[in-house]
PDB file of all heavy atoms in Angstrom:
ATOM      1  N   PRO A1363      81.515 -67.121 183.046  1.00  0.00           N
ATOM      2  CA  PRO A1363      81.536 -65.740 183.800  1.00  0.00           C
ATOM      3  C   PRO A1363      83.038 -65.455 184.142  1.00  0.00           C
ATOM      4  O   PRO A1363      83.824 -66.281 184.413  1.00  0.00           O
ATOM      5  CB  PRO A1363      80.677 -65.972 184.910  1.00  0.00           C
ATOM      6  CG  PRO A1363      80.577 -67.473 185.092  1.00  0.00           C
ATOM      7  CD  PRO A1363      80.695 -68.046 183.804  1.00  0.00           C
ATOM      8  N   ALA A1364      83.251 -64.162 184.155  1.00  0.00           N
ATOM      9  CA  ALA A1364      84.743 -63.778 184.427  1.00  0.00           C
ATOM     10  C   ALA A1364      85.295 -64.201 185.708  1.00  0.00           C
ATOM     11  O   ALA A1364      86.443 -64.645 185.641  1.00  0.00           O
ATOM     12  CB  ALA A1364      84.744 -62.124 184.450  1.00  0.00           C
ATOM     13  N   TRP A1365      84.539 -64.377 186.796  1.00  0.00           N
ATOM     14  CA  TRP A1365      85.095 -64.736 187.992  1.00  0.00           C
ATOM     15  C   TRP A1365      85.496 -66.180 188.037  1.00  0.00           C
ATOM     16  O   TRP A1365      86.213 -66.582 188.887  1.00  0.00           O
ATOM     17  CB  TRP A1365      84.135 -64.481 189.127  1.00  0.00           C
ATOM     18  CG  TRP A1365      82.772 -65.139 189.026  1.00  0.00           C
ATOM     19  CD1 TRP A1365      81.734 -64.642 188.388  1.00  0.00           C
ATOM     20  CD2 TRP A1365      82.377 -66.321 189.431  1.00  0.00           C
ATOM     21  NE1 TRP A1365      80.690 -65.482 188.465  1.00  0.00           N
ATOM     22  CE2 TRP A1365      81.027 -66.620 189.210  1.00  0.00           C
ATOM     23  CE3 TRP A1365      83.037 -67.398 190.284  1.00  0.00           C
ATOM     24  CZ2 TRP A1365      80.285 -67.652 189.504  1.00  0.00           C
ATOM     25  CZ3 TRP A1365      82.295 -68.529 190.615  1.00  0.00           C
ATOM     26  CH2 TRP A1365      80.934 -68.598 190.253  1.00  0.00           C
ATOM     27  N   LEU A1366      84.968 -66.855 187.093  1.00  0.00           N
ATOM     28  CA  LEU A1366      85.320 -68.388 186.978  1.00  0.00           C
ATOM     29  C   LEU A1366      86.606 -68.514 186.090  1.00  0.00           C
ATOM     30  O   LEU A1366      87.214 -69.638 186.112  1.00  0.00           O
ATOM     31  CB  LEU A1366      84.255 -69.247 186.450  1.00  0.00           C
ATOM     32  CG  LEU A1366      83.273 -69.673 187.525  1.00  0.00           C
ATOM     33  CD1 LEU A1366      82.136 -70.413 186.846  1.00  0.00           C
ATOM     34  CD2 LEU A1366      83.808 -70.545 188.452  1.00  0.00           C
ATOM     35  N   ARG A1367      86.943 -67.435 185.454  1.00  0.00           N
ATOM     36  CA  ARG A1367      88.129 -67.654 184.407  1.00  0.00           C
ATOM     37  C   ARG A1367      89.331 -67.419 185.162  1.00  0.00           C
ATOM     38  O   ARG A1367      89.430 -66.821 186.206  1.00  0.00           O
ATOM     39  CB  ARG A1367      87.972 -66.665 183.219  1.00  0.00           C
ATOM     40  CG  ARG A1367      86.660 -67.078 182.427  1.00  0.00           C
ATOM     41  CD  ARG A1367      86.425 -66.043 181.392  1.00  0.00           C
ATOM     42  NE  ARG A1367      87.427 -65.924 180.470  1.00  0.00           N
ATOM     43  CZ  ARG A1367      87.456 -65.022 179.403  1.00  0.00           C
ATOM     44  NH1 ARG A1367      86.426 -64.246 179.230  1.00  0.00           N
ATOM     45  NH2 ARG A1367      88.376 -64.970 178.628  1.00  0.00           N
ATOM     46  N   TRP A1368      90.399 -67.862 184.517  1.00  0.00           N
ATOM     47  CA  TRP A1368      91.757 -67.783 184.996  1.00  0.00           C
ATOM     48  C   TRP A1368      92.131 -66.353 185.093  1.00  0.00           C
ATOM     49  O   TRP A1368      92.616 -65.739 186.058  1.00  0.00           O
ATOM     50  CB  TRP A1368      92.796 -68.571 184.155  1.00  0.00           C
ATOM     51  CG  TRP A1368      94.173 -68.561 184.687  1.00  0.00           C
ATOM     52  CD1 TRP A1368      94.602 -68.973 185.929  1.00  0.00           C
ATOM     53  CD2 TRP A1368      95.279 -68.176 183.945  1.00  0.00           C
ATOM     54  NE1 TRP A1368      96.002 -68.890 185.931  1.00  0.00           N
ATOM     55  CE2 TRP A1368      96.465 -68.406 184.769  1.00  0.00           C
ATOM     56  CE3 TRP A1368      95.474 -67.706 182.625  1.00  0.00           C
ATOM     57  CZ2 TRP A1368      97.751 -68.100 184.262  1.00  0.00           C
ATOM     58  CZ3 TRP A1368      96.889 -67.399 182.244  1.00  0.00           C
ATOM     59  CH2 TRP A1368      97.922 -67.712 183.073  1.00  0.00           C
ATOM     60  N   ARG A1369      91.978 -65.569 183.960  1.00  0.00           N
ATOM     61  CA  ARG A1369      92.284 -64.185 183.905  1.00  0.00           C
ATOM     62  C   ARG A1369      91.212 -63.609 182.994  1.00  0.00           C
ATOM     63  O   ARG A1369      90.750 -64.192 181.982  1.00  0.00           O
ATOM     64  CB  ARG A1369      93.581 -63.934 183.264  1.00  0.00           C
ATOM     65  CG  ARG A1369      94.739 -64.522 183.841  1.00  0.00           C
ATOM     66  CD  ARG A1369      95.535 -63.577 184.826  1.00  0.00           C
ATOM     67  NE  ARG A1369      96.754 -64.126 185.280  1.00  0.00           N
ATOM     68  CZ  ARG A1369      96.966 -64.896 186.093  1.00  0.00           C
ATOM     69  NH1 ARG A1369      95.793 -65.546 186.861  1.00  0.00           N
ATOM     70  NH2 ARG A1369      98.116 -65.466 186.492  1.00  0.00           N
ATOM     71  N   SER A1370      90.659 -62.432 183.336  1.00  0.00           N
ATOM     72  CA  SER A1370      89.828 -61.788 182.356  1.00  0.00           C
ATOM     73  C   SER A1370      90.559 -61.390 181.237  1.00  0.00           C
ATOM     74  O   SER A1370      91.796 -61.301 181.141  1.00  0.00           O
ATOM     75  CB  SER A1370      89.173 -60.527 183.032  1.00  0.00           C
ATOM     76  OG  SER A1370      90.135 -59.610 183.224  1.00  0.00           O
ATOM     77  N   ASP A1371      89.930 -61.023 180.119  1.00  0.00           N
ATOM     78  CA  ASP A1371      90.617 -60.510 178.943  1.00  0.00           C
ATOM     79  C   ASP A1371      91.409 -59.270 179.257  1.00  0.00           C
ATOM     80  O   ASP A1371      92.685 -59.308 178.669  1.00  0.00           O
ATOM     81  CB  ASP A1371      89.603 -60.176 177.860  1.00  0.00           C
ATOM     82  CG  ASP A1371      88.980 -61.312 177.144  1.00  0.00           C
ATOM     83  OD1 ASP A1371      89.489 -62.462 177.355  1.00  0.00           O
ATOM     84  OD2 ASP A1371      87.895 -61.228 176.408  1.00  0.00           O
ATOM     85  N   ALA A1372      90.953 -58.464 180.060  1.00  0.00           N
ATOM     86  CA  ALA A1372      91.768 -57.212 180.277  1.00  0.00           C
ATOM     87  C   ALA A1372      93.044 -57.566 181.064  1.00  0.00           C
ATOM     88  O   ALA A1372      94.092 -57.182 180.807  1.00  0.00           O
ATOM     89  CB  ALA A1372      90.967 -56.195 181.062  1.00  0.00           C
ATOM     90  N   GLU A1373      92.931 -58.464 182.106  1.00  0.00           N
ATOM     91  CA  GLU A1373      94.057 -58.913 182.829  1.00  0.00           C
ATOM     92  C   GLU A1373      95.152 -59.569 181.909  1.00  0.00           C
ATOM     93  O   GLU A1373      96.342 -59.286 182.064  1.00  0.00           O
ATOM     94  CB  GLU A1373      93.626 -59.907 183.868  1.00  0.00           C
ATOM     95  CG  GLU A1373      93.014 -59.272 185.170  1.00  0.00           C
ATOM     96  CD  GLU A1373      92.492 -60.373 186.060  1.00  0.00           C
ATOM     97  OE1 GLU A1373      91.942 -61.385 185.511  1.00  0.00           O
ATOM     98  OE2 GLU A1373      92.444 -60.161 187.247  1.00  0.00           O
ATOM     99  N   LEU A1374      94.602 -60.380 180.986  1.00  0.00           N
ATOM    100  CA  LEU A1374      95.508 -61.107 180.035  1.00  0.00           C
ATOM    101  C   LEU A1374      96.179 -60.164 179.232  1.00  0.00           C
ATOM    102  O   LEU A1374      97.419 -60.207 178.964  1.00  0.00           O
ATOM    103  CB  LEU A1374      94.768 -62.056 179.269  1.00  0.00           C
ATOM    104  CG  LEU A1374      95.410 -63.436 178.993  1.00  0.00           C
ATOM    105  CD1 LEU A1374      95.990 -64.056 180.244  1.00  0.00           C
ATOM    106  CD2 LEU A1374      94.479 -64.378 178.368  1.00  0.00           C
ATOM    107  N   ASP A1375      95.469 -59.076 178.662  1.00  0.00           N
ATOM    108  CA  ASP A1375      96.064 -58.145 177.865  1.00  0.00           C
ATOM    109  C   ASP A1375      97.143 -57.340 178.557  1.00  0.00           C
ATOM    110  O   ASP A1375      98.222 -57.146 177.996  1.00  0.00           O
ATOM    111  CB  ASP A1375      94.956 -56.966 177.484  1.00  0.00           C
ATOM    112  CG  ASP A1375      94.061 -57.488 176.318  1.00  0.00           C
ATOM    113  OD1 ASP A1375      94.532 -58.531 175.645  1.00  0.00           O
ATOM    114  OD2 ASP A1375      92.934 -57.015 176.228  1.00  0.00           O
ATOM    115  N   ASP A1376      96.855 -56.958 179.826  1.00  0.00           N
ATOM    116  CA  ASP A1376      97.762 -56.399 180.662  1.00  0.00           C
ATOM    117  C   ASP A1376      99.079 -57.175 180.878  1.00  0.00           C
ATOM    118  O   ASP A1376     100.200 -56.627 180.669  1.00  0.00           O
ATOM    119  CB  ASP A1376      97.110 -56.120 181.922  1.00  0.00           C
ATOM    120  CG  ASP A1376      97.833 -55.165 182.899  1.00  0.00           C
ATOM    121  OD1 ASP A1376      98.508 -54.212 182.335  1.00  0.00           O
ATOM    122  OD2 ASP A1376      97.863 -55.379 184.116  1.00  0.00           O
ATOM    123  N   GLU A1377      98.936 -58.454 181.192  1.00  0.00           N
ATOM    124  CA  GLU A1377     100.040 -59.249 181.347  1.00  0.00           C
ATOM    125  C   GLU A1377     100.886 -59.514 180.155  1.00  0.00           C
ATOM    126  O   GLU A1377     102.172 -59.338 180.234  1.00  0.00           O
ATOM    127  CB  GLU A1377      99.519 -60.632 181.916  1.00  0.00           C
ATOM    128  CG  GLU A1377     100.684 -61.408 182.399  1.00  0.00           C
ATOM    129  CD  GLU A1377     100.243 -62.618 183.307  1.00  0.00           C
ATOM    130  OE1 GLU A1377      99.061 -62.739 183.562  1.00  0.00           O
ATOM    131  OE2 GLU A1377     101.078 -63.307 183.723  1.00  0.00           O
ATOM    132  N   PHE A1378     100.136 -59.636 179.008  1.00  0.00           N
ATOM    133  CA  PHE A1378     100.904 -59.736 177.697  1.00  0.00           C
ATOM    134  C   PHE A1378     101.705 -58.434 177.391  1.00  0.00           C
ATOM    135  O   PHE A1378     102.810 -58.407 176.956  1.00  0.00           O
ATOM    136  CB  PHE A1378      99.928 -59.945 176.496  1.00  0.00           C
ATOM    137  CG  PHE A1378      99.340 -61.349 176.500  1.00  0.00           C
ATOM    138  CD1 PHE A1378      99.742 -62.280 177.485  1.00  0.00           C
ATOM    139  CD2 PHE A1378      98.451 -61.850 175.551  1.00  0.00           C
ATOM    140  CE1 PHE A1378      99.228 -63.574 177.443  1.00  0.00           C
ATOM    141  CE2 PHE A1378      97.922 -62.937 175.482  1.00  0.00           C
ATOM    142  CZ  PHE A1378      98.308 -63.920 176.486  1.00  0.00           C
TER     143      PHE A1378
END
Side-chain angles (χ1 to χ4, degrees):
Chain A
W1365 58 273
L1366 272 176
R1367 294 172 61 181
W1368 182 56
R1369 303 267 191 274
S1370 72
D1371 281 350
E1373 282 173 329
L1374 217 50
D1375 282 340
D1376 190 34
E1377 193 163 357
F1378 286 0

